[in-house]
Amino acid sequence: MSSGLVSNKKSVLIDTFSFHSFLNSGFFYCWSLGDQYDIVLLVEQGNENSAALQVLKNTGKIVRIEVMPAWSRRWALFRWLGGTLPHLISELKPSLVLMNSWHSFHQKIISRFVREVCPDTPIAICSSVHIPITDFEVTAQHLVGARKSAWQKRWPWLPRILSDLAHDTWGRWVGIRDFKLLPLLFAGEAIQQSHCPWQGKLFLKDEGELYDAVLCYTEVERRGYAMEMLELEKIHFIRHPMNVLATQALFSTGQKGARIAVLPSSCLDYDDGDSIDQQIDALARLWGDALEIVQQQSDLPEIWWKLHPSFVDDPVMTTVTERLAERLSGFQSMTGKITAEAMIVESSVVVGDVSSALLWAMRLGQRRILSLDIFEMPIGDEMSHYPNIFVIDSLEKLKSLGRDFYSGEMKDDNRKPSNPSALEFFSSLRRS
């Protein structure tokens, strides 16, 4: 689904992978830049008809959508990257390229072709996430554990040690396939793998030629990126482009309601020596006690619970969900039924552990946001670095908040006015 550019404005090419990250930041860049630039989106097949993109099309914030083959169709995807992508870049001659990250194989290929075809075009990384190093040292390890658990569930007759070995072997093959063989075959040369999600490891920090600027919105993000990259002079502060008009357009039917949105993400420790039953008991008790306190003190009748996409098939978290449904009044599992952002919009209180969804809620404003650091997880207090997110390290502290906490005035301004807007920053960004 695409159409030609319709004006003489300069063009901006925005990569939407991963789409969840695009909703966190890229959508708002389209909104803030769409009146000054012709914006073209690269979208994975399956997301081209999403509600967010329809909003951008209907409001004239984007002029064109280019659909890449789905990730599951690796051969077709690499044929597109090696054949269609360089012609697209040559046609657009974008004045700016925005990407969520630089670690995916397709992002490295995009960067290389931009460098070859449009050597003066700057490339900026614009993702809005919690501390990137945490993703590698903690969250990525969680995702590895979740995937290994899913593999064991798929082949319950296979001993766990063999199931884990099969998982790791397949992960190594995927790295060779996606960063060596297929790029060499379709895009002219192999590329360097810097992060391996199958192992939860950061391999390479020196990737400066892939981008010209990494955009940060808070000091803690800058410190995190400083652990992930070598080119510290390329880190820049700007104001996050999220704004009221954009969120109202994206969720035109959503209104803040009398409910609690709960978004568990990093509470499950796969290195815990406890048995599955012990982990279930501990998590069901902690989440149940905490949500019971929040519900009683906030007087909110409904609890909407949504598992992180990586844990939807995890036997621990699915059983915890069942236990909470039995214990808590007004509890509804919304996993697979609604996005985290839509849940946040329609709730008055947001509860999680360590998650970028809490940052989205922080920027939306007008909601009480709680980060529970009660699961003995490494860096479980990470959200304490962000304004208007309240980190709770014990049930006693949660009880001490009292009813006034939920009914009191909420401060929403978390953006430094001294930082430039996206439009101001990009108007001055040049390749060094």
Side-chain angles (χ1 to χ4, degrees):
M1 176 175 62
S2 65
S3 61
L5 299 180
V6 295
S7 76
N8 293 320
K9 300 176 185 176
K10 293 180 179 180
S11 66
V12 174
L13 182 64
I14 299 182
D15 171 41
T16 64
F17 179 84
S18 66
F19 204 72
H20 171 74
S21 296
F22 173 73
L23 292 178
N24 206 313
S25 55
F27 174 89
F28 299 103
Y29 277 97
C30 291
W31 190 274
S32 62
L33 300 177
D35 294 335
Q36 288 77 26
Y37 296 92
D38 282 331
I39 295 181
V40 179
L41 297 184
L42 291 182
V43 180
E44 182 186 0
Q45 187 178 24
N47 290 321
E48 65 270 27
N49 295 316
S50 72
L53 297 194
Q54 293 302 315
V55 168
L56 293 174
K57 285 180 60 182
N58 294 340
T59 54
K61 298 297 184 179
I62 60 176
V63 299
R64 181 168 169 180
I65 296 174
E66 285 291 332
V67 181
M68 302 185 297
W71 234 243
S72 57
R73 300 172 58 210
R74 277 298 202 274
W75 287 79
L77 176 58
F78 272 95
R79 284 196 299 270
W80 189 94
L81 290 171
T84 303
L85 177 62
H87 293 291
L88 175 65
I89 294 172
S90 180
E91 174 199 347
L92 295 176
K93 293 182 174 57
S95 61
L96 172 69
V97 174
L98 290 181
M99 300 191 298
N100 287 320
S101 178
W102 63 88
H103 294 299
S104 168
F105 60 83
H106 90 286
Q107 291 163 339
K108 295 176 189 289
I109 293 174
I110 290 172
S111 180
R112 180 160 64 81
F113 282 136
V114 170
R115 295 298 190 228
E116 292 177 2
V117 178
C118 304
D120 294 328
T121 295
I123 299 172
I125 309 301
C126 65
S127 184
S128 172
V129 296
H130 49 89
I131 302 177
I133 198 67
T134 303
D135 285 338
F136 299 122
E137 290 187 346
V138 179
T139 307
Q141 291 293 339
H142 274 50
L143 303 186
V144 171
R147 191 161 42 237
K148 285 185 175 181
S149 180
W151 279 52
Q152 177 64 24
K153 186 177 180 180
R154 189 183 309 169
W155 300 296
W157 46 268
L158 192 65
R160 181 62 185 255
I161 190 171
L162 294 180
S163 175
D164 289 352
L165 178 61
H167 169 277
D168 294 342
T169 302
W170 177 256
R172 292 187 183 93
W173 156 246
V174 168
I176 294 171
R177 179 193 68 187
D178 291 348
F179 290 87
K180 305 298 181 185
L181 296 181
L182 293 181
L184 184 62
L185 182 61
F186 291 105
E189 63 180 274
I191 51 181
Q192 178 68 50
Q193 185 176 14
S194 53
H195 173 240
C196 179
W198 289 83
Q199 295 178 268
K201 291 183 179 180
L202 179 66
F203 295 139
L204 181 67
K205 294 176 70 173
D206 186 6
E207 293 273 24
E209 285 304 306
L210 292 180
Y211 52 83
D212 300 288
V214 173
L215 307 182
C216 291
Y217 314 101
T218 58
E219 172 61 26
V220 69
E221 287 174 316
R222 188 201 67 80
R223 294 202 302 268
Y225 275 122
M227 291 185 277
E228 184 183 348
M229 56 187 280
L230 294 179
E231 306 78 15
L232 304 186
E233 70 280 0
K234 294 183 178 180
I235 299 176
H236 299 273
F237 282 105
I238 73 167
R239 298 197 301 271
H240 192 281
M242 187 173 183
N243 62 71
V244 173
L245 290 177
T247 52
Q248 288 177 342
L250 184 56
F251 300 101
S252 58
T253 60
Q255 295 182 351
K256 185 167 70 170
R259 63 182 59 88
I260 305 162
V262 188
L263 299 161
S265 179
S266 299
C267 58
L268 178 56
D269 186 358
Y270 283 95
D271 293 327
D272 192 329
D274 291 342
S275 68
I276 289 179
D277 288 341
Q278 289 173 319
Q279 292 184 63
I280 291 171
D281 289 342
L283 287 175
R285 174 180 55 79
L286 287 170
W287 275 110
D289 289 349
L291 294 180
E292 206 166 58
I293 294 169
V294 174
Q295 189 176 41
Q296 290 173 353
Q297 295 192 346
S298 66
D299 290 324
L300 296 173
E302 291 185 273
I303 299 174
W304 282 6
W305 166 277
K306 177 179 170 61
L307 294 178
H308 187 282
S310 298
F311 302 128
V312 294
D313 295 320
D314 182 271
V316 172
M317 295 308 295
T318 53
T319 307
V320 168
T321 302
E322 295 169 359
R323 296 271 189 92
L324 295 177
E326 294 173 356
R327 173 176 175 176
L328 299 169
S329 63
F331 182 95
Q332 298 181 54
S333 174
M334 305 300 287
T335 304
K337 301 176 183 177
I338 190 173
T339 67
E341 293 81 9
M343 274 181 56
I344 292 168
V345 167
E346 298 186 35
S347 302
S348 299
V349 173
V350 181
V351 182
D353 35 68
V354 175
S355 171
S356 58
L358 299 186
L359 303 188
W360 200 94
M362 174 193 74
R363 295 189 173 102
L364 180 64
Q366 292 299 314
R367 281 128 182 100
R368 286 298 189 206
I369 308 168
L370 303 177
S371 171
L372 301 183
D373 179 23
I374 59 176
F375 307 104
E376 299 184 357
M377 292 300 301
I379 323 180
D381 64 345
E382 183 186 321
M383 295 289 104
S384 63
H385 299 287
Y386 298 93
N388 302 327
I389 298 179
F390 297 85
V391 175
I392 306 299
D393 58 12
S394 68
L395 294 176
E396 289 71 24
K397 184 175 180 180
L398 187 62
K399 292 177 182 176
S400 70
L401 294 177
R403 294 179 181 274
D404 292 343
F405 170 79
Y406 298 96
S407 59
E409 182 180 352
M410 304 178 205
K411 298 180 180 179
D412 293 335
D413 187 13
N414 55 72
R415 299 182 296 180
K416 290 186 178 180
S418 59
N419 292 336
S421 68
L423 187 59
E424 291 168 341
F425 177 78
F426 291 133
S427 65
S428 62
L429 178 63
R430 302 289 185 272
R431 286 216 68 201
S432 58

